[in-house]
Amino acid sequence: MERWLALLAGIVAVLLGALWFWLRGSPPSASTTDVTSQPRVFVVEIRDFYFDPPGLTLRPGDRVIWILKENANGDGHTVTAYHPSQDRPLRIPSEAAPWNSQLMTTIGQTFTQSFSVPGVYDYFCVPHEQQGMVGRIIVGEGIALTPDERGLPAAALSAIPTTAELQGHVGEAFNAIGLLQGVLYLAQQGQSASAWAQLRLLQKLVKEGQLAVALQQQGIQTALESRLAALGTLLSRNAPLTALEPTAAQIRTLLGRLTQGE
Ligand SMILES: [Cu+2]
């Protein structure tokens, strides 16, 4: 009889635990998997006439999704690797395959690229390369970074983040912006467990390393952490994108303070 009571008590405890998770709204998978090793989703917004963020530092396996956000002139934008196949000098690892999104003209249109070969990747927008619409992605750690800037127009040279910037707190702030935009994208796609896991990565990023130091120097680390917690609360309630956006914009503004005037 006592064994049955113990079993019953065990079942009740499990059910209460499940109920607690359900009420809290946080997917159990997100709290049990190791969020630091899974592939991440970075979103780069395509605007008139720049990529936001203009640089990222990835681990092999990470995914980048570019989303067309602005097209005021109607001439569209592209996401195109610097490669001889595009009549440009080779500015991606020689073993990596080149890519070209073709002209994107519909707001909300996306282009996705996963990165596995370590190295430095430079890309540009075909119609607006001469206006400095370019970006740089570093994949992997401990890469010999000897940026050879031959073959870039002057406007592109002044707009492209340097490899030193990308490996410092500016690069970490760019990564945080890309991850934040990725959180919104995942939430919008209904992938709430992934959005939640990625938000935790973001929270970890602002607590550690060069980004944490830079935020402390600006006196905005606590404010940023509180906004991230607020975003987490909204996510756990499955709030619609329109409800997430104001908080995300506040986070974006705080992170932007670290990337200006560099
Ligand atoms: Cu463009």
Side-chain angles (χ1 to χ4, degrees):
M1 188 62 187
E2 279 176 21
R3 277 177 59 196
W4 287 111
L5 278 175
L7 184 64
L8 191 65
I11 291 170
V12 169
V14 168
L15 287 176
L16 282 175
L19 182 67
W20 182 76
F21 261 118
W22 182 71
L23 287 175
R24 239 174 117 242
S26 76
S29 61
S31 56
T32 51
T33 51
D34 178 11
V35 296
T36 57
S37 61
Q38 67 182 27
R40 303 167 295 178
V41 175
F42 292 85
V43 167
V44 174
E45 296 186 346
I46 305 173
R47 298 200 169 268
D48 295 332
F49 299 89
Y50 59 96
F51 296 103
D52 179 25
L56 290 170
T57 310
L58 307 182
R59 292 192 295 253
D62 284 336
R63 186 154 50 110
V64 181
I65 301 172
W66 285 266
I67 301 181
L68 188 69
K69 286 284 184 177
E70 291 174 343
N71 183 20
N73 287 1
D75 54 351
H77 299 288
T78 77
V79 183
T80 308
Y82 272 98
H83 192 273
S85 65
Q86 307 298 329
D87 292 326
R88 292 295 189 285
L90 180 69
R91 302 185 62 83
I92 68 171
S94 53
E95 320 87 85
W99 75 86
N100 181 10
S101 67
Q102 307 298 337
L103 205 56
M104 298 165 74
T105 52
T106 309
I107 300 300
Q109 199 176 341
T110 62
F111 176 72
T112 303
Q113 183 73 22
S114 288
F115 291 85
S116 55
V117 179
V120 182
Y121 296 71
D122 289 341
Y123 66 93
F124 64 104
C125 168
V126 172
H128 308 116
E129 180 196 18
Q130 299 297 331
Q131 288 159 253
M133 191 163 172
V134 290
R136 172 169 284 169
I137 290 171
I138 297 177
V139 178
E141 287 173 23
I143 298 156
L145 298 169
T146 47
D148 170 7
E149 310 300 4
R150 278 175 301 182
L152 281 181
L157 258 183
S158 62
I160 206 158
T162 67
T163 51
E165 271 177 343
L166 287 180
Q167 293 189 315
H169 75 266
V170 172
E172 290 193 1
F174 285 155
N175 265 23
I177 291 164
L179 282 172
L180 172 70
Q181 290 169 174
V183 167
L184 293 193
Y185 176 82
L186 290 166
Q188 186 189 19
Q189 298 293 308
Q191 299 180 40
S192 51
S194 300
W196 184 266
Q198 192 155 301
L199 179 68
R200 286 165 53 108
L201 278 179
L202 193 50
Q203 287 174 316
K204 204 168 174 312
L205 193 60
V206 305
K207 276 201 178 74
E208 296 172 356
Q210 306 178 89
L211 188 58
V213 173
L215 288 167
Q216 282 159 13
Q217 282 169 355
Q218 291 269 332
I220 54 174
Q221 191 187 31
T222 310
L224 186 54
E225 284 177 344
S226 106
R227 293 294 81 205
L228 287 171
L231 187 62
T233 304
L234 291 167
L235 275 181
S236 69
R237 290 182 192 150
N238 286 319
L241 191 65
T242 48
L244 303 177
E245 276 169 342
T247 306
Q250 291 167 344
I251 297 168
R252 175 69 184 79
T253 302
L254 288 169
L255 288 169
R257 290 206 212 164
L258 302 184
T259 63
Q260 286 153 8
E262 294 290 334

mmCIF file with all atom_site columns, all heavy atoms in Angstrom, residues 46-51 68 70-71 75-79 103-104 124-129 131 133, ligand 1:
data_model
loop_
_atom_site.group_PDB
_atom_site.id
_atom_site.type_symbol
_atom_site.label_atom_id
_atom_site.label_alt_id
_atom_site.label_comp_id
_atom_site.label_asym_id
_atom_site.label_entity_id
_atom_site.label_seq_id
_atom_site.pdbx_PDB_ins_code
_atom_site.Cartn_x
_atom_site.Cartn_y
_atom_site.Cartn_z
_atom_site.occupancy
_atom_site.B_iso_or_equiv
_atom_site.pdbx_formal_charge
_atom_site.auth_seq_id
_atom_site.auth_comp_id
_atom_site.auth_asym_id
_atom_site.auth_atom_id
_atom_site.pdbx_PDB_model_num
ATOM   1   N  N   . ILE A 1 46  ? 18.299 44.180 -44.493 1.00 0.00 ? 46  ILE A N   1
ATOM   2   C  CA  . ILE A 1 46  ? 18.760 44.885 -45.692 1.00 0.00 ? 46  ILE A CA  1
ATOM   3   C  C   . ILE A 1 46  ? 18.003 46.201 -45.762 1.00 0.00 ? 46  ILE A C   1
ATOM   4   O  O   . ILE A 1 46  ? 16.779 46.203 -45.864 1.00 0.00 ? 46  ILE A O   1
ATOM   5   C  CB  . ILE A 1 46  ? 18.489 44.054 -46.966 1.00 0.00 ? 46  ILE A CB  1
ATOM   6   C  CG1 . ILE A 1 46  ? 19.114 42.656 -46.840 1.00 0.00 ? 46  ILE A CG1 1
ATOM   7   C  CG2 . ILE A 1 46  ? 19.010 44.783 -48.197 1.00 0.00 ? 46  ILE A CG2 1
ATOM   8   C  CD1 . ILE A 1 46  ? 18.747 41.722 -47.985 1.00 0.00 ? 46  ILE A CD1 1
ATOM   9   N  N   . ARG A 1 47  ? 18.755 47.284 -45.633 1.00 0.00 ? 47  ARG A N   1
ATOM   10  C  CA  . ARG A 1 47  ? 18.124 48.612 -45.611 1.00 0.00 ? 47  ARG A CA  1
ATOM   11  C  C   . ARG A 1 47  ? 18.687 49.471 -46.736 1.00 0.00 ? 47  ARG A C   1
ATOM   12  O  O   . ARG A 1 47  ? 19.629 49.098 -47.410 1.00 0.00 ? 47  ARG A O   1
ATOM   13  C  CB  . ARG A 1 47  ? 18.345 49.261 -44.246 1.00 0.00 ? 47  ARG A CB  1
ATOM   14  C  CG  . ARG A 1 47  ? 17.707 48.441 -43.111 1.00 0.00 ? 47  ARG A CG  1
ATOM   15  C  CD  . ARG A 1 47  ? 17.479 49.236 -41.846 1.00 0.00 ? 47  ARG A CD  1
ATOM   16  N  NE  . ARG A 1 47  ? 16.635 48.499 -40.905 1.00 0.00 ? 47  ARG A NE  1
ATOM   17  C  CZ  . ARG A 1 47  ? 15.303 48.600 -40.848 1.00 0.00 ? 47  ARG A CZ  1
ATOM   18  N  NH1 . ARG A 1 47  ? 14.668 49.422 -41.658 1.00 0.00 ? 47  ARG A NH1 1
ATOM   19  N  NH2 . ARG A 1 47  ? 14.609 47.888 -39.980 1.00 0.00 ? 47  ARG A NH2 1
ATOM   20  N  N   . ASP A 1 48  ? 18.080 50.665 -46.931 1.00 0.00 ? 48  ASP A N   1
ATOM   21  C  CA  . ASP A 1 48  ? 18.585 51.636 -47.918 1.00 0.00 ? 48  ASP A CA  1
ATOM   22  C  C   . ASP A 1 48  ? 19.686 52.465 -47.244 1.00 0.00 ? 48  ASP A C   1
ATOM   23  O  O   . ASP A 1 48  ? 19.358 53.304 -46.424 1.00 0.00 ? 48  ASP A O   1
ATOM   24  C  CB  . ASP A 1 48  ? 17.470 52.571 -48.390 1.00 0.00 ? 48  ASP A CB  1
ATOM   25  C  CG  . ASP A 1 48  ? 16.362 51.843 -49.153 1.00 0.00 ? 48  ASP A CG  1
ATOM   26  O  OD1 . ASP A 1 48  ? 16.628 50.811 -49.774 1.00 0.00 ? 48  ASP A OD1 1
ATOM   27  O  OD2 . ASP A 1 48  ? 15.229 52.342 -49.113 1.00 0.00 ? 48  ASP A OD2 1
ATOM   28  N  N   . PHE A 1 49  ? 20.954 52.339 -47.466 1.00 0.00 ? 49  PHE A N   1
ATOM   29  C  CA  . PHE A 1 49  ? 21.637 51.438 -48.369 1.00 0.00 ? 49  PHE A CA  1
ATOM   30  C  C   . PHE A 1 49  ? 22.778 50.814 -47.582 1.00 0.00 ? 49  PHE A C   1
ATOM   31  O  O   . PHE A 1 49  ? 23.934 51.110 -47.813 1.00 0.00 ? 49  PHE A O   1
ATOM   32  C  CB  . PHE A 1 49  ? 22.164 52.234 -49.591 1.00 0.00 ? 49  PHE A CB  1
ATOM   33  C  CG  . PHE A 1 49  ? 21.016 52.887 -50.353 1.00 0.00 ? 49  PHE A CG  1
ATOM   34  C  CD1 . PHE A 1 49  ? 20.578 54.160 -50.020 1.00 0.00 ? 49  PHE A CD1 1
ATOM   35  C  CD2 . PHE A 1 49  ? 20.345 52.174 -51.354 1.00 0.00 ? 49  PHE A CD2 1
ATOM   36  C  CE1 . PHE A 1 49  ? 19.502 54.734 -50.703 1.00 0.00 ? 49  PHE A CE1 1
ATOM   37  C  CE2 . PHE A 1 49  ? 19.278 52.762 -52.041 1.00 0.00 ? 49  PHE A CE2 1
ATOM   38  C  CZ  . PHE A 1 49  ? 18.847 54.043 -51.708 1.00 0.00 ? 49  PHE A CZ  1
ATOM   39  N  N   . TYR A 1 50  ? 22.373 49.987 -46.647 1.00 0.00 ? 50  TYR A N   1
ATOM   40  C  CA  . TYR A 1 50  ? 23.364 49.330 -45.793 1.00 0.00 ? 50  TYR A CA  1
ATOM   41  C  C   . TYR A 1 50  ? 22.809 48.018 -45.245 1.00 0.00 ? 50  TYR A C   1
ATOM   42  O  O   . TYR A 1 50  ? 21.596 47.786 -45.267 1.00 0.00 ? 50  TYR A O   1
ATOM   43  C  CB  . TYR A 1 50  ? 23.782 50.252 -44.632 1.00 0.00 ? 50  TYR A CB  1
ATOM   44  C  CG  . TYR A 1 50  ? 22.646 50.679 -43.727 1.00 0.00 ? 50  TYR A CG  1
ATOM   45  C  CD1 . TYR A 1 50  ? 22.376 50.003 -42.535 1.00 0.00 ? 50  TYR A CD1 1
ATOM   46  C  CD2 . TYR A 1 50  ? 21.829 51.750 -44.074 1.00 0.00 ? 50  TYR A CD2 1
ATOM   47  C  CE1 . TYR A 1 50  ? 21.324 50.395 -41.712 1.00 0.00 ? 50  TYR A CE1 1
ATOM   48  C  CE2 . TYR A 1 50  ? 20.773 52.141 -43.257 1.00 0.00 ? 50  TYR A CE2 1
ATOM   49  C  CZ  . TYR A 1 50  ? 20.532 51.466 -42.074 1.00 0.00 ? 50  TYR A CZ  1
ATOM   50  O  OH  . TYR A 1 50  ? 19.469 51.846 -41.278 1.00 0.00 ? 50  TYR A OH  1
ATOM   51  N  N   . PHE A 1 51  ? 23.742 47.183 -44.774 1.00 0.00 ? 51  PHE A N   1
ATOM   52  C  CA  . PHE A 1 51  ? 23.372 45.932 -44.111 1.00 0.00 ? 51  PHE A CA  1
ATOM   53  C  C   . PHE A 1 51  ? 23.461 46.168 -42.598 1.00 0.00 ? 51  PHE A C   1
ATOM   54  O  O   . PHE A 1 51  ? 24.428 46.741 -42.114 1.00 0.00 ? 51  PHE A O   1
ATOM   55  C  CB  . PHE A 1 51  ? 24.313 44.798 -44.517 1.00 0.00 ? 51  PHE A CB  1
ATOM   56  C  CG  . PHE A 1 51  ? 24.242 44.442 -45.979 1.00 0.00 ? 51  PHE A CG  1
ATOM   57  C  CD1 . PHE A 1 51  ? 25.232 44.859 -46.853 1.00 0.00 ? 51  PHE A CD1 1
ATOM   58  C  CD2 . PHE A 1 51  ? 23.174 43.703 -46.484 1.00 0.00 ? 51  PHE A CD2 1
ATOM   59  C  CE1 . PHE A 1 51  ? 25.168 44.538 -48.209 1.00 0.00 ? 51  PHE A CE1 1
ATOM   60  C  CE2 . PHE A 1 51  ? 23.101 43.375 -47.838 1.00 0.00 ? 51  PHE A CE2 1
ATOM   61  C  CZ  . PHE A 1 51  ? 24.099 43.791 -48.699 1.00 0.00 ? 51  PHE A CZ  1
ATOM   62  N  N   . LEU A 1 68  ? 14.837 41.629 -46.498 1.00 0.00 ? 68  LEU A N   1
ATOM   63  C  CA  . LEU A 1 68  ? 14.679 42.933 -47.135 1.00 0.00 ? 68  LEU A CA  1
ATOM   64  C  C   . LEU A 1 68  ? 13.696 43.784 -46.323 1.00 0.00 ? 68  LEU A C   1
ATOM   65  O  O   . LEU A 1 68  ? 12.532 43.414 -46.157 1.00 0.00 ? 68  LEU A O   1
ATOM   66  C  CB  . LEU A 1 68  ? 14.169 42.778 -48.574 1.00 0.00 ? 68  LEU A CB  1
ATOM   67  C  CG  . LEU A 1 68  ? 14.155 44.082 -49.376 1.00 0.00 ? 68  LEU A CG  1
ATOM   68  C  CD1 . LEU A 1 68  ? 15.573 44.550 -49.680 1.00 0.00 ? 68  LEU A CD1 1
ATOM   69  C  CD2 . LEU A 1 68  ? 13.366 43.930 -50.667 1.00 0.00 ? 68  LEU A CD2 1
ATOM   70  N  N   . GLU A 1 70  ? 13.870 47.510 -46.551 1.00 0.00 ? 70  GLU A N   1
ATOM   71  C  CA  . GLU A 1 70  ? 13.640 48.794 -47.221 1.00 0.00 ? 70  GLU A CA  1
ATOM   72  C  C   . GLU A 1 70  ? 13.975 48.666 -48.709 1.00 0.00 ? 70  GLU A C   1
ATOM   73  O  O   . GLU A 1 70  ? 14.929 47.969 -49.073 1.00 0.00 ? 70  GLU A O   1
ATOM   74  C  CB  . GLU A 1 70  ? 14.506 49.900 -46.585 1.00 0.00 ? 70  GLU A CB  1
ATOM   75  C  CG  . GLU A 1 70  ? 14.080 50.276 -45.182 1.00 0.00 ? 70  GLU A CG  1
ATOM   76  C  CD  . GLU A 1 70  ? 15.012 51.251 -44.484 1.00 0.00 ? 70  GLU A CD  1
ATOM   77  O  OE1 . GLU A 1 70  ? 16.166 51.427 -44.930 1.00 0.00 ? 70  GLU A OE1 1
ATOM   78  O  OE2 . GLU A 1 70  ? 14.588 51.849 -43.484 1.00 0.00 ? 70  GLU A OE2 1
ATOM   79  N  N   . ASN A 1 71  ? 13.201 49.374 -49.513 1.00 0.00 ? 71  ASN A N   1
ATOM   80  C  CA  . ASN A 1 71  ? 13.463 49.412 -50.956 1.00 0.00 ? 71  ASN A CA  1
ATOM   81  C  C   . ASN A 1 71  ? 12.780 50.651 -51.522 1.00 0.00 ? 71  ASN A C   1
ATOM   82  O  O   . ASN A 1 71  ? 11.935 50.579 -52.404 1.00 0.00 ? 71  ASN A O   1
ATOM   83  C  CB  . ASN A 1 71  ? 12.940 48.125 -51.612 1.00 0.00 ? 71  ASN A CB  1
ATOM   84  C  CG  . ASN A 1 71  ? 13.247 48.075 -53.092 1.00 0.00 ? 71  ASN A CG  1
ATOM   85  O  OD1 . ASN A 1 71  ? 14.135 48.766 -53.572 1.00 0.00 ? 71  ASN A OD1 1
ATOM   86  N  ND2 . ASN A 1 71  ? 12.492 47.268 -53.819 1.00 0.00 ? 71  ASN A ND2 1
ATOM   87  N  N   . ASP A 1 75  ? 14.673 49.862 -56.749 1.00 0.00 ? 75  ASP A N   1
ATOM   88  C  CA  . ASP A 1 75  ? 15.669 49.174 -57.587 1.00 0.00 ? 75  ASP A CA  1
ATOM   89  C  C   . ASP A 1 75  ? 16.188 47.899 -56.917 1.00 0.00 ? 75  ASP A C   1
ATOM   90  O  O   . ASP A 1 75  ? 16.975 47.164 -57.501 1.00 0.00 ? 75  ASP A O   1
ATOM   91  C  CB  . ASP A 1 75  ? 16.828 50.105 -57.979 1.00 0.00 ? 75  ASP A CB  1
ATOM   92  C  CG  . ASP A 1 75  ? 17.506 50.766 -56.791 1.00 0.00 ? 75  ASP A CG  1
ATOM   93  O  OD1 . ASP A 1 75  ? 16.968 50.645 -55.663 1.00 0.00 ? 75  ASP A OD1 1
ATOM   94  O  OD2 . ASP A 1 75  ? 18.564 51.392 -56.967 1.00 0.00 ? 75  ASP A OD2 1
ATOM   95  N  N   . GLY A 1 76  ? 15.730 47.635 -55.689 1.00 0.00 ? 76  GLY A N   1
ATOM   96  C  CA  . GLY A 1 76  ? 16.066 46.376 -55.029 1.00 0.00 ? 76  GLY A CA  1
ATOM   97  C  C   . GLY A 1 76  ? 17.479 46.333 -54.496 1.00 0.00 ? 76  GLY A C   1
ATOM   98  O  O   . GLY A 1 76  ? 18.267 47.275 -54.646 1.00 0.00 ? 76  GLY A O   1
ATOM   99  N  N   . HIS A 1 77  ? 17.789 45.230 -53.825 1.00 0.00 ? 77  HIS A N   1
ATOM   100 C  CA  . HIS A 1 77  ? 19.120 44.997 -53.251 1.00 0.00 ? 77  HIS A CA  1
ATOM   101 C  C   . HIS A 1 77  ? 19.501 43.537 -53.485 1.00 0.00 ? 77  HIS A C   1
ATOM   102 O  O   . HIS A 1 77  ? 18.629 42.687 -53.691 1.00 0.00 ? 77  HIS A O   1
ATOM   103 C  CB  . HIS A 1 77  ? 19.122 45.269 -51.741 1.00 0.00 ? 77  HIS A CB  1
ATOM   104 C  CG  . HIS A 1 77  ? 18.777 46.684 -51.376 1.00 0.00 ? 77  HIS A CG  1
ATOM   105 N  ND1 . HIS A 1 77  ? 19.623 47.741 -51.590 1.00 0.00 ? 77  HIS A ND1 1
ATOM   106 C  CD2 . HIS A 1 77  ? 17.672 47.200 -50.792 1.00 0.00 ? 77  HIS A CD2 1
ATOM   107 C  CE1 . HIS A 1 77  ? 19.051 48.861 -51.164 1.00 0.00 ? 77  HIS A CE1 1
ATOM   108 N  NE2 . HIS A 1 77  ? 17.856 48.559 -50.668 1.00 0.00 ? 77  HIS A NE2 1
ATOM   109 N  N   . THR A 1 78  ? 20.799 43.263 -53.422 1.00 0.00 ? 78  THR A N   1
ATOM   110 C  CA  . THR A 1 78  ? 21.250 41.867 -53.483 1.00 0.00 ? 78  THR A CA  1
ATOM   111 C  C   . THR A 1 78  ? 22.213 41.601 -52.335 1.00 0.00 ? 78  THR A C   1
ATOM   112 O  O   . THR A 1 78  ? 22.743 42.521 -51.714 1.00 0.00 ? 78  THR A O   1
ATOM   113 C  CB  . THR A 1 78  ? 22.005 41.532 -54.793 1.00 0.00 ? 78  THR A CB  1
ATOM   114 O  OG1 . THR A 1 78  ? 23.337 42.065 -54.713 1.00 0.00 ? 78  THR A OG1 1
ATOM   115 C  CG2 . THR A 1 78  ? 21.300 42.062 -56.021 1.00 0.00 ? 78  THR A CG2 1
ATOM   116 N  N   . VAL A 1 79  ? 22.419 40.314 -52.069 1.00 0.00 ? 79  VAL A N   1
ATOM   117 C  CA  . VAL A 1 79  ? 23.436 39.847 -51.125 1.00 0.00 ? 79  VAL A CA  1
ATOM   118 C  C   . VAL A 1 79  ? 24.344 38.947 -51.958 1.00 0.00 ? 79  VAL A C   1
ATOM   119 O  O   . VAL A 1 79  ? 23.951 37.841 -52.328 1.00 0.00 ? 79  VAL A O   1
ATOM   120 C  CB  . VAL A 1 79  ? 22.811 39.055 -49.961 1.00 0.00 ? 79  VAL A CB  1
ATOM   121 C  CG1 . VAL A 1 79  ? 23.878 38.639 -48.961 1.00 0.00 ? 79  VAL A CG1 1
ATOM   122 C  CG2 . VAL A 1 79  ? 21.712 39.859 -49.281 1.00 0.00 ? 79  VAL A CG2 1
ATOM   123 N  N   . LEU A 1 103 ? 18.351 39.791 -57.391 1.00 0.00 ? 103 LEU A N   1
ATOM   124 C  CA  . LEU A 1 103 ? 17.729 41.035 -56.948 1.00 0.00 ? 103 LEU A CA  1
ATOM   125 C  C   . LEU A 1 103 ? 16.511 40.762 -56.055 1.00 0.00 ? 103 LEU A C   1
ATOM   126 O  O   . LEU A 1 103 ? 15.609 40.028 -56.448 1.00 0.00 ? 103 LEU A O   1
ATOM   127 C  CB  . LEU A 1 103 ? 17.317 41.858 -58.179 1.00 0.00 ? 103 LEU A CB  1
ATOM   128 C  CG  . LEU A 1 103 ? 17.207 43.367 -57.984 1.00 0.00 ? 103 LEU A CG  1
ATOM   129 C  CD1 . LEU A 1 103 ? 18.508 43.959 -57.458 1.00 0.00 ? 103 LEU A CD1 1
ATOM   130 C  CD2 . LEU A 1 103 ? 16.802 44.026 -59.289 1.00 0.00 ? 103 LEU A CD2 1
ATOM   131 N  N   . MET A 1 104 ? 16.533 41.355 -54.861 1.00 0.00 ? 104 MET A N   1
ATOM   132 C  CA  . MET A 1 104 ? 15.403 41.215 -53.941 1.00 0.00 ? 104 MET A CA  1
ATOM   133 C  C   . MET A 1 104 ? 14.624 42.534 -53.954 1.00 0.00 ? 104 MET A C   1
ATOM   134 O  O   . MET A 1 104 ? 15.203 43.598 -53.739 1.00 0.00 ? 104 MET A O   1
ATOM   135 C  CB  . MET A 1 104 ? 15.907 40.910 -52.526 1.00 0.00 ? 104 MET A CB  1
ATOM   136 C  CG  . MET A 1 104 ? 16.684 39.580 -52.448 1.00 0.00 ? 104 MET A CG  1
ATOM   137 S  SD  . MET A 1 104 ? 17.657 39.416 -50.925 1.00 0.00 ? 104 MET A SD  1
ATOM   138 C  CE  . MET A 1 104 ? 16.377 39.100 -49.719 1.00 0.00 ? 104 MET A CE  1
ATOM   139 N  N   . PHE A 1 124 ? 28.578 42.118 -51.061 1.00 0.00 ? 124 PHE A N   1
ATOM   140 C  CA  . PHE A 1 124 ? 28.142 43.449 -51.481 1.00 0.00 ? 124 PHE A CA  1
ATOM   141 C  C   . PHE A 1 124 ? 26.742 43.381 -52.084 1.00 0.00 ? 124 PHE A C   1
ATOM   142 O  O   . PHE A 1 124 ? 26.208 42.303 -52.343 1.00 0.00 ? 124 PHE A O   1
ATOM   143 C  CB  . PHE A 1 124 ? 29.137 44.038 -52.497 1.00 0.00 ? 124 PHE A CB  1
ATOM   144 C  CG  . PHE A 1 124 ? 29.241 43.277 -53.800 1.00 0.00 ? 124 PHE A CG  1
ATOM   145 C  CD1 . PHE A 1 124 ? 28.646 43.763 -54.962 1.00 0.00 ? 124 PHE A CD1 1
ATOM   146 C  CD2 . PHE A 1 124 ? 29.931 42.064 -53.873 1.00 0.00 ? 124 PHE A CD2 1
ATOM   147 C  CE1 . PHE A 1 124 ? 28.737 43.072 -56.168 1.00 0.00 ? 124 PHE A CE1 1
ATOM   148 C  CE2 . PHE A 1 124 ? 30.024 41.362 -55.084 1.00 0.00 ? 124 PHE A CE2 1
ATOM   149 C  CZ  . PHE A 1 124 ? 29.430 41.874 -56.224 1.00 0.00 ? 124 PHE A CZ  1
ATOM   150 N  N   . CYS A 1 125 ? 26.173 44.553 -52.280 1.00 0.00 ? 125 CYS A N   1
ATOM   151 C  CA  . CYS A 1 125 ? 24.902 44.678 -52.989 1.00 0.00 ? 125 CYS A CA  1
ATOM   152 C  C   . CYS A 1 125 ? 25.227 45.154 -54.396 1.00 0.00 ? 125 CYS A C   1
ATOM   153 O  O   . CYS A 1 125 ? 25.866 46.197 -54.555 1.00 0.00 ? 125 CYS A O   1
ATOM   154 C  CB  . CYS A 1 125 ? 23.996 45.670 -52.257 1.00 0.00 ? 125 CYS A CB  1
ATOM   155 S  SG  . CYS A 1 125 ? 22.558 46.155 -53.232 1.00 0.00 ? 125 CYS A SG  1
ATOM   156 N  N   . VAL A 1 126 ? 24.800 44.401 -55.400 1.00 0.00 ? 126 VAL A N   1
ATOM   157 C  CA  . VAL A 1 126 ? 25.177 44.729 -56.788 1.00 0.00 ? 126 VAL A CA  1
ATOM   158 C  C   . VAL A 1 126 ? 24.800 46.169 -57.168 1.00 0.00 ? 126 VAL A C   1
ATOM   159 O  O   . VAL A 1 126 ? 25.654 46.913 -57.642 1.00 0.00 ? 126 VAL A O   1
ATOM   160 C  CB  . VAL A 1 126 ? 24.582 43.692 -57.780 1.00 0.00 ? 126 VAL A CB  1
ATOM   161 C  CG1 . VAL A 1 126 ? 24.800 44.146 -59.220 1.00 0.00 ? 126 VAL A CG1 1
ATOM   162 C  CG2 . VAL A 1 126 ? 25.216 42.315 -57.548 1.00 0.00 ? 126 VAL A CG2 1
ATOM   163 N  N   . PRO A 1 127 ? 23.551 46.632 -56.955 1.00 0.00 ? 127 PRO A N   1
ATOM   164 C  CA  . PRO A 1 127 ? 23.245 48.001 -57.377 1.00 0.00 ? 127 PRO A CA  1
ATOM   165 C  C   . PRO A 1 127 ? 23.939 49.085 -56.542 1.00 0.00 ? 127 PRO A C   1
ATOM   166 O  O   . PRO A 1 127 ? 24.087 50.204 -57.005 1.00 0.00 ? 127 PRO A O   1
ATOM   167 C  CB  . PRO A 1 127 ? 21.721 48.124 -57.198 1.00 0.00 ? 127 PRO A CB  1
ATOM   168 C  CG  . PRO A 1 127 ? 21.224 46.741 -57.013 1.00 0.00 ? 127 PRO A CG  1
ATOM   169 C  CD  . PRO A 1 127 ? 22.356 45.947 -56.453 1.00 0.00 ? 127 PRO A CD  1
ATOM   170 N  N   . HIS A 1 128 ? 24.351 48.768 -55.317 1.00 0.00 ? 128 HIS A N   1
ATOM   171 C  CA  . HIS A 1 128 ? 24.815 49.840 -54.420 1.00 0.00 ? 128 HIS A CA  1
ATOM   172 C  C   . HIS A 1 128 ? 26.209 49.617 -53.841 1.00 0.00 ? 128 HIS A C   1
ATOM   173 O  O   . HIS A 1 128 ? 26.548 50.201 -52.809 1.00 0.00 ? 128 HIS A O   1
ATOM   174 C  CB  . HIS A 1 128 ? 23.797 50.033 -53.278 1.00 0.00 ? 128 HIS A CB  1
ATOM   175 C  CG  . HIS A 1 128 ? 22.403 50.214 -53.766 1.00 0.00 ? 128 HIS A CG  1
ATOM   176 N  ND1 . HIS A 1 128 ? 21.392 49.311 -53.497 1.00 0.00 ? 128 HIS A ND1 1
ATOM   177 C  CD2 . HIS A 1 128 ? 21.862 51.170 -54.568 1.00 0.00 ? 128 HIS A CD2 1
ATOM   178 C  CE1 . HIS A 1 128 ? 20.271 49.722 -54.102 1.00 0.00 ? 128 HIS A CE1 1
ATOM   179 N  NE2 . HIS A 1 128 ? 20.538 50.831 -54.749 1.00 0.00 ? 128 HIS A NE2 1
ATOM   180 N  N   . GLU A 1 129 ? 27.009 48.808 -54.509 1.00 0.00 ? 129 GLU A N   1
ATOM   181 C  CA  . GLU A 1 129 ? 28.383 48.600 -54.031 1.00 0.00 ? 129 GLU A CA  1
ATOM   182 C  C   . GLU A 1 129 ? 29.136 49.918 -53.989 1.00 0.00 ? 129 GLU A C   1
ATOM   183 O  O   . GLU A 1 129 ? 29.875 50.186 -53.028 1.00 0.00 ? 129 GLU A O   1
ATOM   184 C  CB  . GLU A 1 129 ? 29.110 47.608 -54.954 1.00 0.00 ? 129 GLU A CB  1
ATOM   185 C  CG  . GLU A 1 129 ? 30.547 47.333 -54.530 1.00 0.00 ? 129 GLU A CG  1
ATOM   186 C  CD  . GLU A 1 129 ? 31.355 46.673 -55.640 1.00 0.00 ? 129 GLU A CD  1
ATOM   187 O  OE1 . GLU A 1 129 ? 30.937 46.728 -56.817 1.00 0.00 ? 129 GLU A OE1 1
ATOM   188 O  OE2 . GLU A 1 129 ? 32.424 46.110 -55.326 1.00 0.00 ? 129 GLU A OE2 1
ATOM   189 N  N   . GLN A 1 131 ? 28.057 52.741 -53.366 1.00 0.00 ? 131 GLN A N   1
ATOM   190 C  CA  . GLN A 1 131 ? 27.602 53.579 -52.256 1.00 0.00 ? 131 GLN A CA  1
ATOM   191 C  C   . GLN A 1 131 ? 28.028 52.991 -50.909 1.00 0.00 ? 131 GLN A C   1
ATOM   192 O  O   . GLN A 1 131 ? 27.572 53.445 -49.868 1.00 0.00 ? 131 GLN A O   1
ATOM   193 C  CB  . GLN A 1 131 ? 26.078 53.736 -52.299 1.00 0.00 ? 131 GLN A CB  1
ATOM   194 C  CG  . GLN A 1 131 ? 25.611 54.637 -53.429 1.00 0.00 ? 131 GLN A CG  1
ATOM   195 C  CD  . GLN A 1 131 ? 24.157 54.412 -53.795 1.00 0.00 ? 131 GLN A CD  1
ATOM   196 O  OE1 . GLN A 1 131 ? 23.854 53.843 -54.838 1.00 0.00 ? 131 GLN A OE1 1
ATOM   197 N  NE2 . GLN A 1 131 ? 23.257 54.836 -52.925 1.00 0.00 ? 131 GLN A NE2 1
ATOM   198 N  N   . MET A 1 133 ? 27.537 49.767 -49.875 1.00 0.00 ? 133 MET A N   1
ATOM   199 C  CA  . MET A 1 133 ? 26.635 48.757 -49.313 1.00 0.00 ? 133 MET A CA  1
ATOM   200 C  C   . MET A 1 133 ? 27.333 47.394 -49.348 1.00 0.00 ? 133 MET A C   1
ATOM   201 O  O   . MET A 1 133 ? 27.211 46.639 -50.316 1.00 0.00 ? 133 MET A O   1
ATOM   202 C  CB  . MET A 1 133 ? 25.312 48.730 -50.098 1.00 0.00 ? 133 MET A CB  1
ATOM   203 C  CG  . MET A 1 133 ? 24.247 47.908 -49.406 1.00 0.00 ? 133 MET A CG  1
ATOM   204 S  SD  . MET A 1 133 ? 22.596 48.243 -50.024 1.00 0.00 ? 133 MET A SD  1
ATOM   205 C  CE  . MET A 1 133 ? 21.705 46.950 -49.150 1.00 0.00 ? 133 MET A CE  1
HETATM 206 CU CU  . CU  B 2 .   ? 21.503 47.708 -52.271 1.00 0.00 ? 1   CU  B CU  1
#
